[in-house]
Amino acid sequence: SQQGEEDPQALSIQEGENATMNCSYKTSINNLQWYRQNSGRGLVHLILIRSNEREKHSGRLRVTLDTSKKSSSLLITASRAADTASYFCATVYQAGTALIFGKGTTLSVSS
Amino acid sequence: GAVVSQHPSWVICKSGTSVKIECRSLDFQATTMFWYRQFPKQSLMLMATSNEGSKATYEQGVEKDKFLINHASLTLSTLTVTSAHPEDSSFYICSARGVQETQYFGPGTRLLVL
């Protein structure tokens, strides 16, 4: 079963613009993670935010977590064509161990 | 970081044959391994969780007799798709977890059943 829902499902922007993707989840979590997947390839881990954190930065990435709303956002600043990929949020249930993935956002950055 | 490999990366087989996919943790001991399936333009769906030396736990709707999982050692788990059919064509991804909470993902295996 899928834990999260991302929106938008698809996002098209120009290079240099910022891209924001949102993720909502259903139950209590230990942490929330964001992954990137280039077409037909494996997953790349981007960032992990714990349930007691509200914001985290990594390079051009900024992730927020609002546990009261059960939602997270991923912001990519100054996007590049190489950022074109699918982005997934994934969570671990407090009671379980497996990462459960959201449906994903497909980002297309044109130059 | 920790590395997880999968073999093969690509497999094409005839309908009715069985296919084995290997997942190895190369530089750490994986007490738990996970198998996911991803259809085109969809997300990853968890199929099963396996702990070394014990039977795998399958997610609802996943046939355990069709998708045989063996986690015989702390560095190797195998997924065997038995009597594969075209609808089993998919991208299969494994991940492994050691004592840390991070799951490390393999590069995936693309299965095409003709």
Side-chain angles (χ1 to χ4, degrees), chain A residues 1-2 30-31 33 35 37 40-43 45 48 50 88 92 97-104, chain B residues 32 34 36 38 41-46 49 59 91 93 97 101-108 110:
Chain A
S1 62
Q2 283 175 311
N30 285 326
N31 61 65
Q33 303 180 42
Y35 286 83
Q37 185 181 36
R41 300 284 196 89
L43 295 170
H45 184 259
L48 179 153
R50 300 183 191 284
F88 298 95
V92 177
T97 60
L99 271 171
I100 303 299
F101 285 81
K103 292 184 178 180
Chain B
T32 308
F34 308 92
Y36 294 83
Q38 184 180 32
K41 299 190 186 301
Q42 293 188 26
S43 185
L44 282 78
M45 297 294 290
L46 179 67
T49 300
E59 293 298 299
F91 192 50
I93 303 176
R97 197 180 103 144
E101 64 185 319
T102 304
Q103 274 183 233
Y104 298 96
F105 285 83
R110 192 161 300 281

Side-chain angles (χ1 to χ4, degrees), chain B residues 53-104:
Chain B
S54 61
K55 290 184 178 180
T57 302
Y58 291 81
E59 293 298 299
Q60 195 171 9
V62 178
E63 300 173 58
K64 59 183 178 182
D65 293 332
K66 181 166 185 64
F67 299 99
L68 301 179
I69 291 171
N70 185 289
H71 191 168
S73 77
L74 285 171
T75 59
L76 173 65
S77 175
T78 59
L79 167 68
T80 301
V81 183
T82 62
S83 186
H85 290 285
E87 57 266 28
D88 299 322
S89 299
S90 189
F91 192 50
Y92 292 87
I93 303 176
C94 74
S95 69
R97 197 180 103 144
V99 295
Q100 303 293 329
E101 64 185 319
T102 304
Q103 274 183 233
Y104 298 96

Side-chain angles (χ1 to χ4, degrees), chain A residues 2-58:
Chain A
Q2 283 175 311
Q3 164 78 314
E5 297 268 344
E6 278 101 327
D7 78 271
Q9 289 187 345
L11 180 61
S12 293
I13 58 174
Q14 299 284 321
E15 263 192 328
E17 294 180 339
N18 295 341
T20 300
M21 289 159 265
N22 303 297
C23 166
S24 61
Y25 55 91
K26 298 174 185 174
T27 63
S28 296
I29 59 172
N30 285 326
N31 61 65
L32 186 141
Q33 303 180 42
W34 284 91
Y35 286 83
R36 184 184 75 215
Q37 185 181 36
N38 288 72
S39 181
R41 300 284 196 89
L43 295 170
V44 175
H45 184 259
L46 295 176
I47 198 164
L48 179 153
I49 186 165
R50 300 183 191 284
S51 59
N52 61 354
E53 296 176 309
R54 291 297 168 259
E55 188 171 309
K56 203 162 184 179
H57 296 256
S58 176

